[in-house]
Amino acid sequence: MRTAMATMSRWHGAVLAAALLAAPAWAQEPESVADAQEAAERWLAQVDAGNYASSWRDGAASFRTAVPQQQWEATMRQLRGGLGSVGDRALKSASFTKTLPGLPDGQYVVIQYTTQFANKEQAVETVTPMREADGSWRVSGYYIR
């Protein structure tokens, strides 16, 4: 655990510390993180392939409610089109939490990847899957910096 906290940003460290205060959340973390990471990587493969409509349809219900499909597709064409193809992507961190600022309580995993694009040598992608009511993990947020 200390190794994971040492590699995370202060914000993610605070999120992890809050998650650790709830014993049931901590007990679910290893399996949840692995399942959420699998879902994130399947979702990212769609985005990498330019399948923005599919990535929207496969996103969490809260994501689809917050971002209309046409807006998502247009934003992704502009954003990812400018970055070019993905060269390399490496896991930077992944942390389980039940709370995130501005979102309802739930089960989330905040995952960061260090990613190299054709037109940007180093970026950090943050993908946030959440556990849906049916138990599946679906992406509820995506951010590149």
Side-chain angles (χ1 to χ4, degrees):
M1 182 172 89
R2 285 187 178 135
T3 304
M5 288 181 70
T7 62
M8 293 186 295
S9 68
R10 264 187 217 147
W11 183 81
H12 287 112
V15 169
L16 181 60
L20 291 175
L21 294 175
W26 175 247
Q28 297 172 359
E29 183 179 351
E31 179 183 318
S32 295
V33 170
D35 292 347
Q37 188 176 342
E38 275 185 42
E41 290 172 3
R42 282 191 308 270
W43 187 87
L44 281 169
Q46 291 180 344
V47 171
D48 292 346
N51 297 329
Y52 306 132
S54 294
S55 69
W56 183 86
R57 283 190 301 272
D58 289 345
S62 60
F63 168 79
R64 293 189 314 270
T65 300
V67 182
Q69 183 175 351
Q70 288 181 333
Q71 179 184 348
W72 173 250
E73 290 180 43
T75 300
M76 292 306 292
R77 276 192 299 275
Q78 181 181 15
L79 177 65
R80 291 297 296 266
L83 293 172
S85 61
V86 174
D88 187 42
R89 176 179 286 130
L91 179 66
K92 182 177 178 181
S93 65
S95 59
F96 178 89
T97 186
K98 286 193 165 195
T99 61
L100 286 173
L103 296 174
D105 288 352
Q107 294 183 34
Y108 300 91
V109 176
V110 178
I111 304 169
Q112 287 193 317
Y113 297 93
T114 302
T115 307
Q116 179 182 26
F117 293 94
N119 300 324
K120 184 166 178 71
E121 191 162 320
Q122 187 170 348
V124 175
E125 293 177 289
T126 303
V127 185
T128 308
M130 68 177 294
R131 188 182 303 267
E132 296 274 83
D134 67 0
S136 66
W137 286 94
R138 294 182 181 268
V139 172
S140 63
Y142 178 64
Y143 179 76
I144 300 175
R145 69 172 162 87

